Amino acid sequence: MLSDDTYVARRLQLLGEWDAALVTLGPDTDPELRAEIAVDRWFFRIEGHEEAEKAVAALDPASPTAHLLTARLAYSRLLFRRDPRADDRAVAEAGYRAAAESGDEKQRGWAEFHWAVLLDNIDQDPAGALPRYETALEIATKYGDGYLESYIIRHLALRKEPAERIAMLRRSLHLRAALGARPQTIAAQALLAANLPESDPERAELIRTFRPGAEELHIGWLLPED
């Protein structure tokens, strides 16, 4: 059973209130969740990397969560080109592999997804990424994990013809909205808008909707560059 602090922190995480979530947990409550929230904050805001790295370093290094979050940090440094390290590519793949082989099937779904994204976005290897996306989607479907599905189909959609792509991007958006995952919903609105014709009224409405939310939550990669 979740403690009250853990429950509240998870709800705040879904809202993109990462600072409040970390305060709610305190320094000694649920270190795995604390690390997850710190990594999420870094990934969305592109700030707080040092705190995220310290939170991950405080975990049992052999745990699936530590493997997955260590890999995500390495991947994000490469993706954002924020002080990438010489071994980040190797660290990311090793972490995803270890998490995938941990024996936790749901954790494997996330590891396979993130591994696919590494291959897709960093290696520019869509053919290598596809089987891992498909494996992750099978796991998400098996367990009815709409949150994981929303991430996977967001990436798979970009391989499809326009009509199917838009349908998949809409489903990703609806899944996230139904779960109350605000940062992810805003990101889904932005991606759907980017894939609609410029003349489509829905595109203009999505832009009017997501931009204030991105500004409020300080989602770095959705904000215009100065």
Side-chain angles (χ1 to χ4, degrees), residues 8-142:
V8 171
R10 281 216 173 273
R11 300 307 299 176
L12 289 168
Q13 180 187 15
L14 278 175
L15 292 172
E17 299 291 345
W18 300 286
D19 293 340
L22 292 171
V23 169
T24 297
L25 280 178
D28 302 315
T29 304
D30 201 334
E32 288 199 351
L33 178 56
R34 182 175 190 81
E36 180 186 325
I37 292 169
V39 170
D40 267 1
R41 181 178 63 178
W42 152 250
F43 191 86
F44 279 98
R45 289 188 175 174
I46 319 180
E47 62 181 40
H49 179 272
E50 184 178 352
E51 183 174 352
E53 195 165 35
K54 285 181 179 177
V56 174
L59 303 179
D60 174 358
S63 70
T65 299
H67 288 308
L68 186 60
L69 294 180
T70 298
R72 286 183 59 195
L73 282 175
Y75 162 76
S76 66
R77 289 191 294 266
L78 293 169
L79 180 68
F80 299 139
R81 299 178 183 176
R82 296 297 180 99
D83 300 318
R85 301 167 188 175
D87 63 347
D88 274 344
R89 172 61 183 77
V91 166
E93 183 161 355
Y96 294 144
R97 179 182 289 108
E101 295 174 352
S102 68
D104 182 327
E105 188 73 355
K106 291 185 180 181
Q107 187 81 286
R108 178 179 169 232
W110 282 103
E112 292 283 356
F113 162 71
H114 285 295
W115 197 345
V117 174
L118 176 72
L119 294 169
D120 216 354
N121 290 348
I122 303 303
D123 292 359
Q124 303 298 308
D125 180 12
L130 183 58
R132 299 201 176 278
Y133 282 132
E134 291 174 339
T135 297
L137 186 57
E138 288 174 6
I139 294 170
T141 301
K142 176 181 177 181

Side-chain angles (χ1 to χ4, degrees), residues 2 49-50 57 83 134 144-145 148 153 173 175 206:
L2 295 178
H49 179 272
E50 184 178 352
D83 300 318
E134 291 174 339
D145 189 340
L148 175 55
I153 62 175
L173 169 57
L175 286 168
L206 284 165

